[in-house]
Amino acid sequence: MRRQKVERWALRVLRGFAPDAQRTTHNAGRAGQAGAALLAAMLTVTLVATFAAAAMWQQWRAIEVETAERARIQSAWILIGALDWSRLILREDSLAQGGDGTDNLSEPWAVPLQEARLSTFLAANRNVAQVADASTDTADAFLSGQITDQQGLLNLRNLAGDKQVDASALRQFARLFDYLGLPRPQLDQLAQQMQRATAREGEPNTKPLLPQSVAQLGWWGLPQASIDALTPHVTLLPVRTLVNLNTASAVVLWASADGLDMADAQRLVQRRETQYFRSPADAAELVRQGSAISASTHAVASSYFEVRGRLRLDGAVVEERSLVFKQRGDVRTLWRERGGLPAAAMLAQAPKMPGATTYP
């Protein structure tokens, strides 16, 4: 009898009808429900945090993009204003009463603008800069720039003659290439490409693309090292030009004249520091071979100038370079390019009156 009772109790336990078994099963069900609820809550919090972080990142990115775009547009307009200012300086120089028609390094356009706070130009009152009254944008903006006479350099366009490479210009550049230690085949390639690109005859589709500046000579296969070496001494202008005796360096003067030695070129540079040349004849009187300086290759006035501007605003730096053409009463912008410009090129082309230097 007792054995039967034990068996019935064991059977009930196995079927879950025992009181202890019912309590155990009920507690296990409640614990499972609590764990599932906790896991769902944690997943919900994770999703909300992820969505909130993504929204905040999108908002931060939009603000940064808008700030950068605003700074870029402001910088562009300020540099355009600086270009107009430079054009005004050149225009006033061309209209100066009592002027002798020369362009030299003692004139206002030749003085470079060192980096200065923009608010000193915009908030000047009785020659006292009111920096405290300037806005935050102008207070954090710094402007610098310079005007460079492009006819103080050897013009690559002179290499192109009517139907063949110009022999006189080829001799000028040959001397320069020898001075810089550049291989002569590169000069021959450069001259042939210039002749083909500017030739009036021939199919347009077969002509090489004419670069706009010296930095683009790599289109014609010129190595970057050669371009860097040539940049301080050469330019690329729309037409053939003469070398300005009042702004060219001693190296350019020496290379531009047949029969002129480096000592004579240095003598010309030293002389114009105290008295600039009013005609090529004034310079010819100072060299041993007067025929080396002539009106067919040299001049004392210029028509092409390069304007460089650099604006630093809120950590962003924008640089612009423009080529302008000057004639009496009118200054026109031929082209502009904006972006990062090599600092070495700006220093190399800075308009300054060189002193005596010994060359090998």
Side-chain angles (χ1 to χ4, degrees):
M1 184 69 178
R2 184 171 182 170
R3 180 178 178 183
Q4 292 178 352
K5 290 182 178 180
V6 171
E7 289 178 352
R8 286 197 299 270
W9 182 86
L11 183 61
R12 293 183 62 186
V13 169
L14 291 175
R15 293 179 177 179
F17 294 130
D20 293 341
Q22 291 179 358
R23 286 195 298 269
T24 301
T25 303
H26 181 69
N27 292 337
R30 293 183 60 185
Q33 293 176 359
L38 179 61
L39 181 60
M42 293 178 62
L43 289 176
T44 301
V45 171
T46 302
L47 290 175
V48 170
T50 302
F51 292 149
M56 291 182 62
W57 182 84
Q58 291 286 352
Q59 184 69 18
W60 170 84
R61 182 176 179 273
I63 294 174
E64 290 295 316
V65 170
E66 181 179 356
T67 301
E69 183 66 13
R70 178 174 60 87
R72 185 189 67 82
I73 295 176
Q74 288 180 345
S75 302
W77 280 108
I78 292 174
L79 288 176
I80 291 175
L83 174 61
D84 291 339
W85 182 26
S86 302
R87 292 172 55 195
L88 178 62
I89 293 175
L90 291 173
R91 180 178 181 274
E92 292 300 319
D93 176 72
S94 67
L95 295 176
Q97 295 182 356
D100 49 16
T102 65
D103 291 298
N104 56 81
L105 297 180
S106 63
E107 294 180 322
W109 64 263
V111 180
L113 174 64
Q114 302 298 332
E115 188 174 74
R117 193 182 298 270
L118 184 62
S119 57
T120 59
F121 301 98
L122 303 180
N125 182 20
R126 296 180 182 179
N127 296 327
V128 178
Q130 305 293 329
V131 178
D133 296 335
S135 65
T136 304
D137 290 338
T138 58
D140 295 335
F142 296 86
L143 180 67
S144 61
Q146 62 188 29
I147 302 175
T148 307
D149 178 17
Q150 291 299 284
Q151 290 185 226
L153 308 172
L154 289 180
N155 185 7
L156 288 167
R157 191 63 177 263
N158 293 352
L159 287 169
D162 293 334
K163 295 184 178 180
Q164 60 183 0
V165 176
D166 186 272
S168 176
L170 189 62
R171 290 195 301 271
Q172 294 175 350
F173 279 94
R175 286 190 287 269
L176 180 62
F177 268 64
D178 290 341
Y179 175 80
L180 298 175
L182 301 178
R184 180 60 184 267
Q186 292 184 7
L187 173 58
D188 296 335
Q189 177 187 1
L190 192 61
Q192 293 298 328
Q193 292 285 71
M194 182 64 67
Q195 182 65 33
R196 291 178 55 201
T198 57
R200 298 180 180 179
E201 301 176 354
E203 293 293 333
N205 295 334
T206 61
K207 293 181 180 180
L209 186 62
L210 181 64
Q212 184 175 256
S213 63
V214 176
Q216 297 172 346
L217 290 178
W219 298 353
W220 291 350
L222 197 66
Q224 187 60 44
S226 299
I227 296 176
D228 295 339
L230 289 171
T231 297
H233 309 289
V234 304
T235 185
L236 182 55
L237 300 177
V239 297
R240 296 167 59 90
T241 55
L242 305 178
V243 174
N244 191 333
L245 293 167
N246 288 318
T247 58
S249 65
V251 174
V252 172
L253 289 175
W254 166 74
S256 64
D258 294 329
L260 188 71
D261 58 23
M262 190 62 71
D264 287 335
Q266 287 289 349
R267 189 178 301 108
L268 294 175
V269 171
Q270 293 175 359
R271 172 61 183 273
R272 77 184 185 202
E273 290 183 5
T274 56
Q275 180 61 51
Y276 59 86
F277 303 118
R278 289 180 169 84
S279 68
D282 294 342
E285 296 176 353
L286 300 178
V287 299
R288 287 184 286 267
Q289 187 175 345
S291 60
I293 306 295
S294 67
S296 62
T297 55
H298 298 87
V300 293
S302 300
S303 298
Y304 292 92
F305 296 83
E306 183 184 79
V307 178
R308 287 177 177 263
R310 182 179 187 271
L311 182 71
R312 182 163 58 89
L313 177 63
D314 294 336
V317 177
V318 180
E319 297 180 346
E320 185 176 271
R321 182 176 65 173
S322 307
L323 180 67
V324 299
F325 173 74
K326 183 191 77 169
Q327 59 184 6
R328 184 168 181 80
D330 183 33
V331 177
R332 292 182 286 113
T333 302
L334 301 182
W335 54 258
R336 298 203 324 256
E337 64 178 12
R338 184 177 301 143
L341 298 175
M346 293 189 68
L347 294 176
Q349 297 189 21
K352 53 187 177 181
M353 302 183 70
T357 308
T358 301
Y359 293 90

